Amino acid sequence: MQSDGIDLILFGAAGDLSRRKLLPALMHLDNNGLLPDDLRILALSREHMTTEQFMAGQQHTLQTYMGEQRWSQALWERFCQRVRYVAVQFTQVSQYAYLKSELQAQRVAVFYFATPPSLFQTICENLSAAQCLSKTSRVVLEKPIGRDFANCKEVNETVGLFFDEQRIYRIDHYLGKETVQNLLALRFANRFINAQWDNTCIDHVQITVAETVGVDGRFAYYDHVGQLRDMLQNHLMQLLCLVAMEPPNTMTAHDIRDEKVKVVRALRVIDEDSVTEHVVRGQYVQGWYRTEELTGYLQLEDADNPDSDTETFVALKAFIDNWRWAGVPFYLRTGKRMGEKVTEIVITYKTLAHNIFGAHENSPNRLVIRLQPNEGIEMQMLSKQQGIEGGMALERQNLDLNFLHASGSERIPDAYERLFLDVIRADQSLFVGREEVEESWLWCDQLISAWQSCRLKVHPYPAGSKGPAQAELLIGRDGRSWHE
Ligand code: BG6
């Protein structure tokens, strides 16, 4: 693939994200011939080592992520040719001189900050002081963008001093997931779905992001963050926006962002009067996954705060106060160390007002959008029981579209592959705009402040379970239940 020449400058290249996600994504793109021929990767980190030593340290993980079938010596050598390792103390401006000498004015520089946000300002200032920035430079920011509204605004303002909004790519990797993009196709390319997408037809919406991983090794970071800030403020909020937004005029970043931000603005504030009814917080304690014993959050090796009431699970009921969604509850839940890894959006339709089949089954239609695992879409509907014995007895059946099987491909690309490709093509439509992220923090800040002033309890739940029983009550009180 030809290009004007792109350099990808990866800050934090020796970190976990880079090893597990970024470098494997780049290698997959290379393998599929999707990287520009002359794309160079400058891998930056503090440690002193040579490029050969850096790549040798990455080889095992890359080999594992690529899988035996795709791995070849030729691919490895080609990929290694692209990478140059540079040791830089990010806080030392004098150390950016070498980076400057590596960059060429006619090539586009894409700076990827896979670092804590506290470093964003220093890195920007140092890049600027060392004259590494040009009018064509782009910057990619990893989440979290701040820890609250004020901090997020500060980060945006600082980065905005050095890069225009059109050149800032805020990553929410959920937007790069194939099924999330498919949600847009499902909604806006299918008349029969689009025509039934509002409060006249839909009873309620559930969004579940359950993880089996715990917080092992990340306690120091996570204990100051919690599940609301780690997952709900960003990933679940993005999913909510894509489900609820109006059709954008076009698929451009500008139009999509405009519609998403309207959804966040229409979210009803959860305040001190409603927080106890609408929100459940949980924290995992010792439990089991099959025969494996799982350590509780407060017993983790690096746990140093025995009184911590940080939530590792949160469930809530939200309302979007606008024309389309008035009266439709959105139930959101996400937790660590749950029994199963599941990310899904479930749309439950209203049952028919008049049932001509009498006492027979009258369960609602459901549309299940599975993000992971088994990416696909399932439509639960009623049909007649096969055979002549049952008369007109009905039964629930599923129309099941599995994206992997349907495409005939051997794998679904990782979110970061799509997102890297879009940064290279300068397409911001799957990246988060400034207003969206700030509005989302504003809503979450109000919620956090309400639970703090009401001292909302954190309920224990066994690791490897479905979360605290109170989450069942949250939805059960409305005569509904979580989709399992
Ligand atoms: C990250 C969170 O953004 O997303 C992690 O910081 C979480 O805590 C991860 O585990 C989940 O991503 P995925 O793609 O595995 O669902």
Side-chain angles (χ1 to χ4, degrees):
M1 203 171 140
Q2 288 305 311
S3 80
D4 299 336
I6 292 195
D7 291 329
L8 179 64
I9 302 105
L10 199 53
F11 285 82
D16 192 50
L17 179 74
S18 169
R19 193 178 60 255
R20 283 189 310 109
K21 293 285 182 185
L22 308 184
L23 292 171
L26 287 164
M27 206 168 172
H28 272 295
L29 288 174
D30 203 7
N31 186 34
N32 293 327
L34 292 169
L35 285 186
D37 294 338
D38 57 0
L39 180 132
R40 295 189 314 164
I41 301 166
L42 298 180
L44 272 50
S45 185
R46 280 179 311 191
E47 292 99 80
H48 280 278
M49 58 183 137
T50 61
T51 300
E52 289 68 29
Q53 286 166 332
F54 173 72
M55 288 310 281
Q58 305 292 326
Q59 186 171 358
H60 177 69
T61 320
L62 283 170
Q63 212 160 347
T64 313
Y65 279 95
M66 289 301 292
E68 249 174 56
Q69 287 164 332
R70 281 174 289 268
W71 183 265
S72 72
Q73 190 58 25
L75 169 67
W76 173 239
E77 281 166 18
R78 189 173 73 211
F79 190 66
C80 286
Q81 292 261 310
R82 295 182 181 274
V83 183
R84 158 110 31 132
Y85 179 80
V86 187
V88 181
Q89 291 285 347
F90 300 155
T91 50
Q92 304 287 309
V93 66
S94 58
Q95 299 198 6
Y96 286 62
Y98 181 71
L99 177 59
K100 164 72 184 159
S101 71
E102 281 286 310
L103 301 175
Q104 293 160 18
Q106 68 279 17
R107 293 171 67 85
V108 174
V110 176
F111 299 98
Y112 195 122
F113 295 176
T115 66
S118 51
L119 282 172
F120 291 177
Q121 176 166 3
T122 312
I123 298 178
C124 283
E125 283 167 356
N126 290 347
L127 283 173
S128 170
Q131 298 182 325
C132 294
L133 301 180
S134 78
K135 283 205 164 59
T136 59
S137 309
R138 298 171 206 159
V139 67
V140 185
L141 306 180
E142 264 298 335
K143 75 166 260 281
I145 312 288
R147 62 166 275 113
D148 56 24
F149 171 70
N151 185 229
C152 170
K153 203 159 175 258
E154 205 178 296
V155 171
N156 282 332
E157 263 157 27
T158 306
V159 177
L161 294 175
F162 302 93
F163 297 89
D164 308 333
E165 184 65 19
Q166 292 77 3
R167 293 188 288 120
I168 302 176
Y169 294 74
R170 292 180 197 81
I171 289 234
D172 183 312
H173 75 278
Y174 269 52
L175 293 178
K177 291 186 190 274
E178 274 286 293
T179 314
V180 176
Q181 295 156 54
N182 239 315
L183 174 59
L184 291 172
L186 181 77
R187 283 199 56 196
F188 303 126
N190 293 290
R191 177 176 280 275
F192 76 103
I193 298 276
N194 183 32
Q196 315 270 325
W197 205 262
D198 62 18
N199 54 6
T200 61
C201 298
I202 291 176
D203 176 72
H204 75 279
V205 177
Q206 296 183 17
I207 301 178
T208 297
V209 182
E211 300 181 84
T212 47
V213 292
V215 183
D216 311 55
R218 293 212 295 157
F219 190 94
Y221 161 77
Y222 188 89
D223 202 48
H224 290 104
V225 177
Q227 195 70 353
L228 181 101
R229 289 191 177 93
D230 186 46
M231 297 292 289
L232 197 136
Q233 182 274 332
N234 35 75
H235 305 322
L236 279 90
M237 188 66 90
Q238 285 296 325
L239 299 181
L240 174 88
C241 286
L242 295 179
V243 170
M245 72 183 192
E246 294 301 312
N249 292 348
T250 65
M251 281 295 288
T252 57
H254 179 267
D255 288 345
I256 295 179
R257 288 172 178 188
D258 271 1
E259 296 306 335
K260 284 197 290 179
V261 79
K262 283 188 212 161
V263 174
V264 191
R265 285 203 201 109
L267 270 176
R268 190 182 301 165
V269 171
I270 300 183
D271 59 15
E272 290 167 23
D273 293 333
S274 54
V275 73
T276 42
E277 282 279 303
H278 285 228
V279 182
V280 172
R281 302 172 71 217
Q283 188 184 77
Y284 66 86
V285 295
Q286 180 273 341
W288 294 88
Y289 178 72
R290 299 192 179 134
T291 52
E292 186 195 346
E293 185 171 2
L294 303 170
T295 312
Y297 177 69
L298 295 180
Q299 282 72 49
L300 291 172
E301 248 174 50
D302 51 344
D304 55 1
N305 179 8
D307 301 321
S308 167
D309 74 344
T310 297
E311 80 288 351
T312 59
F313 173 99
V314 64
L316 59 85
K317 174 161 81 161
F319 284 98
I320 300 172
D321 288 329
N322 67 12
W323 186 271
R324 186 185 286 267
W325 296 112
V328 178
F330 283 70
Y331 299 97
L332 274 49
R333 64 176 169 165
T334 176
K336 303 259 188 269
R337 269 283 182 254
M338 311 275 286
E340 233 187 310
K341 181 167 173 73
V342 180
T343 303
E344 65 178 20
I345 300 168
V346 181
I347 314 288
T348 303
Y349 287 84
K350 293 185 169 166
T351 47
L352 291 168
H354 177 65
N355 180 8
I356 60 168
F357 298 99
H360 291 305
E361 170 95 60
N362 187 23
S363 59
N365 292 140
R366 279 216 170 99
L367 183 67
V368 181
I369 301 153
R370 291 189 309 256
L371 272 73
Q372 52 195 14
N374 305 324
E375 290 88 338
I377 293 171
E378 192 179 301
M379 213 180 259
Q380 299 179 353
M381 52 198 298
L382 290 175
S383 66
K384 181 191 164 299
Q385 265 178 26
Q386 285 302 301
I388 49 179
E389 298 87 4
M392 264 315 282
L394 303 183
E395 63 183 1
R396 253 203 2 218
Q397 294 284 1
N398 289 344
L399 284 179
D400 199 352
L401 169 62
N402 179 302
F403 293 140
L404 189 62
H405 296 163
S407 67
S409 335
E410 54 177 26
R411 66 181 282 272
I412 291 191
D414 184 73
Y416 279 98
E417 293 172 45
R418 170 67 199 247
L419 296 175
F420 265 126
L421 211 51
D422 284 357
V423 177
I424 292 167
R425 292 172 178 155
D427 179 350
Q428 285 186 307
S429 51
L430 293 178
F431 293 83
V432 184
R434 173 174 177 167
E435 251 187 303
E436 280 172 75
V437 64
E438 290 182 2
E439 290 285 342
S440 163
W441 272 122
L442 210 52
W443 188 80
C444 290
D445 280 2
Q446 288 164 311
L447 166 56
I448 293 171
S449 132
W451 84 32
Q452 282 171 344
S453 64
C454 292
R455 297 177 193 278
L456 197 70
K457 203 171 166 291
V458 172
H459 301 281
Y461 63 95
S465 71
K466 289 185 197 163
Q470 286 75 7
E472 309 293 328
L473 287 178
L474 172 91
I475 190 166
R477 275 197 297 269
D478 298 339
R480 304 183 174 104
S481 57
W482 293 107
H483 178 254
E484 305 297 349

